[in-house]
Amino acid sequence: MIRIYSKHTKKYYEIIEWMLEHQLVFEIRKITSKSSLTKNEIFELLKLTENGFDDLLNKKSKKYLEIENKIDAYSVNQMIEKIILYPSLIKFPIIVDNNKLMIGFNKKKIRIFLPEEYRRNQLEQYLISFDSKL
């Protein structure tokens, strides 16, 4: 099942609209200072990244700028604790499904969450319509 980790932003509503439009089953995990990511959730996200914390960290956040010089000295567990305490350290939205991860919202890239059969049918329809124009 697709999981969406997000704060209430414009992108959050765009993702929900896109998911509903494509009739996908998903669950939403709203992230706030009172309802942060868990240690297990952060580990699961890290497993799917290519560059570990670098992919997840919001380098424009105020909290990141405060600890930027110390980050290299933190252990993995210390960094996870910081993220739990300060959810603003993470980029949102995050969309996850089994072995797929997308950080942010991009209408072209989010198609990875569509079933393969659906994407194949769309491609066939496009090719048919393209051939008929020739």
Side-chain angles (χ1 to χ4, degrees):
M1 177 185 297
I2 298 170
R3 278 174 287 138
I4 302 167
Y5 297 96
S6 187
K7 297 180 176 188
H8 280 285
T9 63
K10 182 181 177 190
K11 296 289 182 195
Y12 167 83
Y13 293 105
E14 288 178 35
I15 291 168
I16 302 304
E17 182 179 330
W18 190 91
M19 294 282 176
L20 292 172
E21 181 181 313
H22 291 88
Q23 301 175 345
L24 296 173
V25 177
F26 61 95
E27 66 182 23
I28 301 166
R29 176 84 158 73
K30 296 175 191 168
I31 304 300
T32 65
S33 57
K34 293 181 181 179
S35 177
S36 187
L37 292 165
T38 66
K39 193 172 192 172
N40 285 342
E41 287 172 326
I42 296 168
F43 272 122
E44 290 304 312
L45 294 174
L46 285 170
K47 286 180 195 175
L48 297 173
T49 64
E50 290 181 21
N51 301 303
F53 287 112
D54 262 0
D55 290 347
L56 296 175
L57 291 175
N58 178 2
K59 295 178 179 147
K60 295 178 184 176
S61 78
K62 185 188 271 188
K63 194 62 188 172
Y64 178 85
L65 296 173
E66 287 176 18
I67 65 169
E68 181 178 16
N69 295 330
K70 303 172 191 170
I71 286 179
D72 289 339
Y74 291 147
S75 68
V76 170
N77 283 328
Q78 287 172 318
M79 195 64 221
I80 288 172
E81 290 303 319
K82 290 287 183 194
I83 290 169
I84 292 169
L85 283 172
Y86 307 105
S88 65
L89 283 170
I90 296 289
K91 294 178 198 171
F92 291 105
I94 299 172
I95 307 168
V96 182
D97 182 17
N98 299 328
N99 62 346
K100 300 173 208 153
L101 170 73
M102 187 173 108
I103 300 170
F105 177 64
N106 179 306
K107 283 190 177 184
K108 290 180 183 176
K109 291 181 181 178
I110 198 170
R111 295 179 53 77
I112 65 170
F113 295 101
L114 291 171
E116 187 177 337
E117 184 177 317
Y118 179 90
R119 288 182 280 149
R120 190 176 308 123
N121 288 338
Q122 280 194 323
L123 178 60
E124 287 173 7
Q125 289 174 4
Y126 173 77
L127 292 174
I128 290 168
S129 70
F130 183 76
D131 283 344
S132 67
K133 292 178 183 178
L134 293 175

